[in-house]
């Protein structure tokens, strides 16, 4: 009798366990469908990572570039912001365009080919070329604002310049002569905007660098003023510049300062106008900043929520991504560990519910929809600086960034007990 009761008890326990497993599985499936589960950071090979990056970049960029090419950007782009500035919506369109092109340009510069990726690039090259004509054609419904009715156009004329400098063959080279002339005119119109004594000086510098590169002429004083401020006055040490005279603990060294300063100096060098000594120092400083950014990525693919403009999401890693693109990573930071670290961040952040609105436009937030984490200058267009994290897509698929096996990044190794060695400042 006791044996029979024991058997019955065991059977009931097994049935209860099976039911619990089934319920848990159903709940997990529902959570996955609704997007409420914690993102799982997985390791994959470089080609899987590349495919995932392309899917995410094109998903983010498509609403901006498709509407601009169709002449419907101003008609269809939403405006989400805490701003009460009456012109903030008008300048938001150039923000979206300049920042999207800034991020997608290196990938497009690889050009079209017969592969699926090459055909996709061809499609987006066509969208950008057609869209840029609409952006600068005075008769277009999507003609963008570059003038001094507001200060913001200087910022995004600069991001646009940075993007086109990153794709001189596939973007600048494919624009018809009239569109090139219109674009040159608009960059010159932005000269009427006086930059603040901060990272804004580099916006003026890189626009003049683009004019130098594409026309052979520029306002050399306007180009060099910002370069010299950062060179002689604002360097704080260990790869960090002040955002102006003061130091700010935020991501602007990555968002703006290092990428724009490095690229401006490289153009000056190409035109035999630069200082080789400072260019070498800046490349080393940029590499140090990249190494620090890589160390900020936690084993779980998170990073510190600090400073202003945090809702640019993984755009905060602009300097790390550009260092990878231009092969400026320090020797102790492998391309593979950067790829895996950035993949973890992008996957974790972009998977949060509320990242996109129902029509596929980005919403303001750091991990989802969190508008009160933004400043009043932030709007829908601002968010597209997140595309800067995708710069390494400009490296071909056989580059070691993509072809190397997966590798754990610094924090992930350290928190597993791996001896990653000491970290040292640069002088």
């Amino acid at each position: 009798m006791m044996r029979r009761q024991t058997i019955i008890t065991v059977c009931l326990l097994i049935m209860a366990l099976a039911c619990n497993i089934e319920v848990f599985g159903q709940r997990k499936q529902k959570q996955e469908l609704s997007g409420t589960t914690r993102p799982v950071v997985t390791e994959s090979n470089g080609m899987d990572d590349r495919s995932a990056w392309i899917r995410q970049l094109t998903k983010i960029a498509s609403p901006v570039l498709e509407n601009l090419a169709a002449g419907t950007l101003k008609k269809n782009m939403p405006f989400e912001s805490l701003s009460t500035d009456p012109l903030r919506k008008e300048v938001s369109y150039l923000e979206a365009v300049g920042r999207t092109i800034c991020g997608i340009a290196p990938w497009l510069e690889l050009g079209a080919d017969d592969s699926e990726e090459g055909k996709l690039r061809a499609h987006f090259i066509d969208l950008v070329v057609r869209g840029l004509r609409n952006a600068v054609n005075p008769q277009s419904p999507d003609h963008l604002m570059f003038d001094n009715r507001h200060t913001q156009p200087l910022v995004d004329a600069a991001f646009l310049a940075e993007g086109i400098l990153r794709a001189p063959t596939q973007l600048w080279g494919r624009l018809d002569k009239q569109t090139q002339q219109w674009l040159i005119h608009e960059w010159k119109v932005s000269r009427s905007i006086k930059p603040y004594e901060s990272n804004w000086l580099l916006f003026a510098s890189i626009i003049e660098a683009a004019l130098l590169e594409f026309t052979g002429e520029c306002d050399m004083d306007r180009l060099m003023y910002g370069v010299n401020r950062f060179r002689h006055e604002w360097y704080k040490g260990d790869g960090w510049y002040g955002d102006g005279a003061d130091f700010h603990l935020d991501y602007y060294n990555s968002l703006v300062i290092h990428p724009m300063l490095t690229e401006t100096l490289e153009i000056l060098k190409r035109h035999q106008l630069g200082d080789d000594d400072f260019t070498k120092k800046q490349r080393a400083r940029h590499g140090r900043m990249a190494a620090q950014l890589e160390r900020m990525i936690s084993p779980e693919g998170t990073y510190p929520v600090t400073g202003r403009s945090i809702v640019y999401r993984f755009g905060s890693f602009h300097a790390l991504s550009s260092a990878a693109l231009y092969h400026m990573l320090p020797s102790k930071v492998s391309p593979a560990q950067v790829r895996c670290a950035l993949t973890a961040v992008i996957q974790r952040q972009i998977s949060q519910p509320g990242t996109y609105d129902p029509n596929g436009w980005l919403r303001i937030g750091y991990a989802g929809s969190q508008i009160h984490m933004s400043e009043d200058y932030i709007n829908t267009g601002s968010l597209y600086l997140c595309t800067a994290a995708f710069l390494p897509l400009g490296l071909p698929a056989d580059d070691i960034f993509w072809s190397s096996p997966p590798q754990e990044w610094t924090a992930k190794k350290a928190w597993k007990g791996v001896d990653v060695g000491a970290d040292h400042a640069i002088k």
Side-chain angles (χ1 to χ4, degrees):
M1 185 69 177
M2 288 293 294
R3 182 180 178 187
R4 183 181 176 187
Q5 287 178 333
T6 301
I7 293 171
I8 291 172
T9 300
V10 170
C11 289
L12 288 172
L13 286 171
I14 292 172
M15 291 174 63
L17 179 60
C19 288
N20 283 336
I21 291 171
E22 182 179 359
V23 169
F24 174 77
Q26 291 173 345
R27 185 185 299 122
K28 185 173 185 292
Q29 184 179 35
K30 288 178 181 178
Q31 287 175 332
E32 288 173 343
L33 291 172
S34 65
T36 59
T37 53
R38 178 182 174 183
V40 178
V41 178
T42 59
E43 290 187 354
S44 56
N45 64 47
M47 294 305 100
D48 289 340
D49 289 341
R50 185 178 179 90
S51 295
W53 282 38
I54 291 169
R55 283 195 302 273
Q56 295 296 352
L57 174 59
T58 54
K59 180 179 179 179
I60 292 167
S62 287
V64 176
L65 299 180
E66 288 174 357
N67 277 283
L68 187 67
T72 56
L73 183 69
K74 291 184 179 180
K75 177 183 176 183
N76 292 332
M77 188 176 115
F79 180 71
E80 183 185 22
S81 181
L82 297 174
S83 177
T84 58
D85 182 341
L87 279 177
R88 184 58 67 180
K89 183 176 182 179
E90 184 63 25
V91 300
S92 71
Y93 306 114
L94 180 57
E95 290 190 62
V97 171
R99 296 169 190 224
T100 300
I101 292 174
C102 174
I104 201 172
W107 179 58
L108 300 185
E109 185 66 359
L110 292 177
D113 57 44
D114 291 332
S115 68
E116 288 304 310
E117 181 183 330
K119 292 174 184 177
L120 190 60
R121 282 196 301 269
H123 170 68
F124 278 90
I125 290 167
D126 177 65
L127 288 180
V128 174
V129 170
R130 287 193 289 123
L132 282 172
R133 183 174 178 86
N134 287 334
V136 295
N137 180 353
Q139 304 304 314
S140 166
D142 273 347
H143 180 237
L144 302 179
M145 178 177 163
F146 286 81
D147 63 58
N148 64 2
R149 286 175 288 161
H150 201 285
T151 56
Q152 185 65 37
L154 176 64
V155 179
D156 299 296
F159 281 123
L160 178 59
E162 188 173 33
I164 295 178
L165 283 166
R166 288 169 172 169
T169 301
Q170 300 300 330
L171 296 187
W172 178 259
R174 289 181 180 273
L175 298 178
D176 62 80
K177 293 297 182 184
Q178 178 61 79
T179 301
Q180 289 180 348
Q181 290 171 8
W182 279 331
L183 181 53
I184 290 167
H185 169 75
E186 298 292 9
W187 277 331
K188 290 181 177 179
V189 165
S190 74
R191 288 173 172 168
S192 64
I193 303 170
K194 183 179 179 180
Y196 303 114
E197 292 285 321
S198 65
N199 71 87
W200 278 53
L201 294 180
L202 294 175
F203 300 141
S205 293
I206 203 160
I207 290 169
E208 295 302 324
L211 289 169
L212 175 63
E213 182 75 357
F214 298 130
T215 73
E217 299 177 348
C218 69
D219 182 336
M220 202 66 187
D221 290 338
R222 190 170 169 89
L223 191 160
M224 292 304 301
Y225 182 75
V227 170
N228 287 331
R229 285 293 234 181
F230 282 94
R231 176 185 182 182
H232 296 300
E233 301 175 53
W234 294 345
Y235 185 60
K236 305 302 180 182
D238 200 22
W240 286 82
Y241 289 97
D243 194 355
D246 297 329
F247 174 77
H248 295 187
L249 186 58
D250 57 28
Y251 290 99
Y252 270 80
N253 266 266
S254 179
L255 289 165
V256 175
I257 295 170
H258 279 289
M260 286 197 177
L261 183 55
T262 299
E263 288 172 302
T264 297
L265 291 174
E266 291 296 330
I267 291 167
L268 286 169
K269 181 179 179 181
R270 188 154 59 245
H271 289 266
Q272 299 182 328
L273 296 169
D275 183 323
D276 285 345
D277 182 58
F278 180 49
T279 301
K280 289 176 183 177
K281 286 182 179 179
Q282 169 53 24
R283 288 178 69 90
R285 293 169 182 176
H286 189 154
R288 173 59 177 160
M289 174 57 57
Q292 291 171 334
L293 288 165
E294 188 271 346
R295 283 175 171 264
M296 291 181 190
I297 299 174
S298 78
E300 299 78 23
T302 63
Y303 60 95
V305 189
T306 185
R308 67 190 181 96
S309 300
I310 197 68
V311 296
Y312 293 163
R313 295 185 172 94
F314 35 80
S316 295
F317 294 94
H318 191 176
L320 176 58
S321 291
S322 64
L325 174 66
Y326 297 124
H327 297 118
M328 294 191 301
L329 294 171
S331 59
K332 292 185 178 180
V333 182
S334 74
Q337 75 188 68
V338 172
R339 183 191 83 226
C340 293
L342 287 174
T343 298
V345 171
I346 292 167
Q347 180 179 334
R348 188 179 185 98
Q349 221 162 11
I350 211 71
S351 66
Q352 296 297 321
T355 299
Y356 299 98
D357 77 4
N359 294 314
W361 298 89
L362 289 173
R363 300 212 49 200
I364 294 174
Y366 172 79
S369 177
Q370 302 151 307
I371 193 169
H372 292 287
M373 290 184 71
S374 70
E375 293 75 18
D376 62 4
Y377 57 80
I378 298 290
N379 62 78
T380 302
S382 314
L383 310 178
Y384 288 85
L385 191 50
C386 71
T387 59
F390 296 98
L391 297 185
L393 284 173
L395 298 168
D398 60 359
D399 186 273
I400 59 170
F401 185 92
W402 300 109
S403 62
S404 298
Q407 184 175 340
E408 293 178 332
W409 52 101
T410 302
K412 190 167 186 178
K413 288 186 287 188
W415 279 100
K416 289 174 66 174
V418 176
D419 186 343
V420 297
D423 185 36
H424 297 286
I426 62 168
K427 295 182 179 179

